[in-house]
């Protein structure tokens, strides 16, 4: 625990952080934290780490250890109830009979909005200066990549000020921590998420004009420095066999996640001897946003074979290519020819590497690259659509990808994340809003409008039919059997739900739906 704190402090100093963060829940509560998590006292491990103590944590821990030792019928749950304020998960909006889904979404923005508040002592929540939108359910803080897709819907709803406030918040997080963490909780500081910040700036520029590129250039530079190991040795950079540089996901810690402590400990007990980096691999999959998927599993099926840090992900590198292009545009607008050329060169090098290392003629698909096998991964996933989303594929490649998409991914309700059913939530039969959006965008870029619309219509119809049955919008959907809920993963499916709302209302506007 002490080594972990020292490491976080070191990283913080390296990234220029000047304000000390509140101790994380495991540091505050020691054995109480372990007992609550390992005994499933609150069922969902995320609940305890989001609790607010009613008094001094040191005194709470001292009293807990004394009472536990003295009482034979001691109730940990009763002790937690007496000493902590449990978080509220209610994001329910009451719908009127036959209320159009677009109206419901516009109401949901208010239910999911969080406003800045005074700092609460010993809370894991990181302060933000401006209002923001949370996903919903157990996800009661802002999340990095979720927010881009939420913003798409906010734009349709005319919530331009909210979009700008969220961009300002992410800039604040970069300034405070050197990067945008997974979410605004101190237990998320060791990792980021898929780097969509440059796309957020592009979206804001549609609203505010090109001044957005100048305003947020310093933040974009710091974001790039974090991923490229320039401001601290975060180990996100991988040197490929030809000497070129690409990127991977890499959490800065190798300990069980605090919000999923028991789940991680149990996996560690199965595999730690074979994979001493198992906790980092689990955490790094969380940094990818795809927690969890066959993408990261060496046998394609079992979580105990996770090897995230040995995978070079195609989607991450496409996002960083877009970040390089965005920085090129920023400096072009400032007439800084040297910097403009620098980022243009970096983007072109990455484009060549994406083609070299991710394109699989065997599968007619862009796949991840394995550092262990030194070859493309055999697991196909919707991450393979990202090169089309960013215009990185040739036209012939795009046509082959389109055919593979139709054959292996297209289902009655939209697209599955992967064709494999592993009981992990980022595999079949589940479909997720952000991946539908990226795939639809990619198809549109290459003129495949018929398939683009077909996927969009299937996704819209699935979302709206579930809404009519339940009055809710979900985190994810079963796109194979439209009568069943999405499942898998380590927590129950959540409703709310930020990115579903954003993608759905955006697609409805684009394709003229008014349901």
């Amino acid at each position: 625990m002490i080594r972990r704190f020292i490491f976080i402090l070191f990283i913080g100093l390296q990234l220029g952080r000047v304000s000390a963060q509140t101790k994380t829940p495991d540091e505050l509560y020691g054995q109480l934290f372990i007992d609550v998590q390992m005994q499933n006292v609150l069922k969902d491990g995320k609940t305890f780490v989001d609790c607010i103590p009613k008094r001094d944590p040191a005194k709470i821990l001292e009293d807990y250890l004394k009472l536990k030792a003295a009482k034979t019928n001691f109730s940990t749950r009763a002790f937690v109830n007496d000493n902590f304020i449990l978080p509220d998960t209610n994001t329910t909006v009451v719908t009127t009979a036959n209320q159009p889904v677009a109206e419901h979404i516009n109401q949901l923005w208010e239910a999911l909005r969080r406003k800045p508040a005074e700092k609460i002592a010993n809370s894991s929540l990181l302060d933000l200066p401006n209002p923001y939108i949370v996903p919903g359910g157990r996800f009661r803080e802002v999340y990095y990549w979720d927010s881009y897709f939420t913003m798409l819907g906010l734009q349709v709803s005319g919530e331009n000020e909210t979009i700008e406030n969220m961009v300002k918040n992410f800039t604040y997080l970069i300034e405070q921590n050197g990067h945008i963490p997974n979410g605004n909780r101190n237990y998320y500081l060791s990792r980021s998420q898929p780097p969509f910040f440059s796309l957020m700036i592009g979206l804001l520029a549609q609203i505010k004009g090109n001044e957005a590129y100048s305003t947020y250039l310093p933040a974009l530079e710091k974001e790039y420095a974090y991923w490229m190991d320039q401001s601290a040795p975060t180990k996100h950079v991988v040197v490929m066999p030809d000497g070129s540089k690409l990127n991977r996901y890499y959490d800065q810690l190798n300990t069980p996640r605090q919000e999923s402590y028991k789940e991680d400990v149990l996996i560690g007990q199965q595999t730690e001897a074979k994979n001493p980096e198992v906790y980092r691999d689990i955490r790094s999959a969380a940094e990818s946003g795809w927690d969890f998927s066959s993408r990261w599993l060496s046998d394609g099926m079992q979580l105990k074979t996770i090897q995230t840090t040995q995978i070079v992900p195609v989607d991450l590198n496409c996002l960083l290519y877009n970040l390089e292009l965005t920085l090129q545009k920023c400096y072009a607008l400032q007439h800084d020819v040297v910097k403009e050329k620098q980022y243009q060169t970096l983007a072109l090098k990455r484009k060549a590497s994406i083609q070299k290392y991710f394109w699989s003629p065997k599968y007619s698909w862009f796949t991840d690259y394995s550092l262990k096998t030194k070859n493309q991964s055999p697991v196909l996933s919707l991450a393979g659509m990202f090169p089309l989303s960013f215009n990185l594929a040739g036209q012939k490649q795009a046509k082959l990808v389109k055919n593979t998409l139709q054959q292996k991914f297209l289902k009655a309700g939209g697209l599955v994340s992967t064709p494999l059913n592993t009981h992990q939530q980022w595999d079949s039969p589940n479909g997720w809003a952000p991946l539908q959006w990226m795939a639809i965008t990619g198809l549109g870029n290459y003129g495949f409008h018929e398939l683009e619309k077909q996927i969009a219509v299937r996704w819209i119809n699935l979302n709206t039919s579930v809404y009519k049955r339940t009055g809710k919008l979900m985190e994810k959907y079963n796109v194979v059997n439209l009568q069943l809920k999405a499942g898998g993963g380590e927590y129950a499916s959540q409703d709310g739900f930020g990115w579903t709302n954003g993608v759905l209302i955006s697609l409805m506007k684009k394709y003229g739906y008014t349901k």
Side-chain angles (χ1 to χ4, degrees), residues 120-143:
I120 299 172
N122 299 304
S123 168
S124 62
L125 192 68
L126 300 177
D127 295 335
L128 293 173
N130 300 291
Y132 54 93
I133 303 294
V134 302
R138 75 197 288 268
F139 301 110
R140 53 187 74 91
E141 49 281 307
V142 78
Y143 281 79

Side-chain angles (χ1 to χ4, degrees), residues 158 182 303 363:
N182 187 153
L303 191 54
Y363 297 114

Side-chain angles (χ1 to χ4, degrees), residues 32-50:
L32 172 60
F33 167 83
I34 293 171
D35 290 350
V36 169
Q37 301 296 61
M38 292 304 294
Q39 295 170 20
N40 280 343
V41 170
L42 298 175
K43 294 185 179 179
D44 183 346
K46 191 174 182 303
T47 304
F48 185 64
V49 293
D50 293 352

Side-chain angles (χ1 to χ4, degrees), residues 11 15 126 142-146 170 173-174 177-198 200 219 222-228 234 236 247-253 257 259 280 282-291 308 316 319-320 323:
I11 290 294
L15 297 177
L126 300 177
V142 78
Y143 281 79
Y144 182 2
W145 78 308
D146 293 58
F170 286 129
L173 287 169
I174 290 173
N177 306 292
H179 69 287
I180 300 172
N182 187 153
N184 62 316
R185 293 278 177 184
N186 62 12
Y187 55 77
Y188 284 148
L189 280 168
S190 63
R191 63 178 178 267
S192 187
Q193 267 197 329
F196 273 85
F197 186 64
S198 60
M200 295 178 191
K222 287 181 181 178
E223 167 89 329
Y224 190 69
Y226 172 78
W227 286 100
M228 297 308 296
T234 60
H236 285 105
N247 293 76
R248 63 178 170 180
Y249 292 109
Y250 197 93
D251 192 293
Q252 301 308 293
L253 296 176
R257 291 169 298 158
E259 72 279 11
R280 193 187 312 279
I282 291 171
R283 286 172 161 273
S284 299
E287 183 170 63
S288 80
W290 291 55
D291 44 339
T308 316
L316 171 60
L319 287 164
L320 290 170
L323 175 53

Side-chain angles (χ1 to χ4, degrees), residues 333-344:
L333 289 168
Q334 292 192 353
H335 307 293
D336 187 331
V337 177
V338 174
K339 286 278 193 178
E340 178 191 356
K341 291 291 185 185
Q342 175 188 334
Y343 283 104
Q344 181 184 47

Side-chain angles (χ1 to χ4, degrees), residues 78-122:
F79 183 86
V80 170
N81 287 341
D82 289 342
N83 287 276
F84 294 88
I85 301 170
L86 273 62
D88 181 15
T89 59
N90 182 30
T91 54
T92 302
V93 172
V94 178
T95 60
T96 59
N98 299 318
Q99 182 186 31
V101 68
E103 287 183 17
H104 179 67
I105 289 172
N106 286 325
Q107 286 183 308
L108 271 173
W109 295 140
E110 203 54 45
L112 298 171
R113 195 184 312 275
R114 300 293 179 267
K115 297 179 180 178
E118 290 185 13
K119 173 66 179 173
I120 299 172
N122 299 304

Side-chain angles (χ1 to χ4, degrees), residues 398-417:
K399 188 172 181 180
L400 291 169
V401 167
K402 167 190 171 274
N403 293 339
T404 302
L405 186 75
Q406 285 179 297
Q407 294 165 13
K408 296 185 179 296
F409 292 87
L410 182 61
K411 305 298 178 183
L415 301 171
V416 287
S417 303

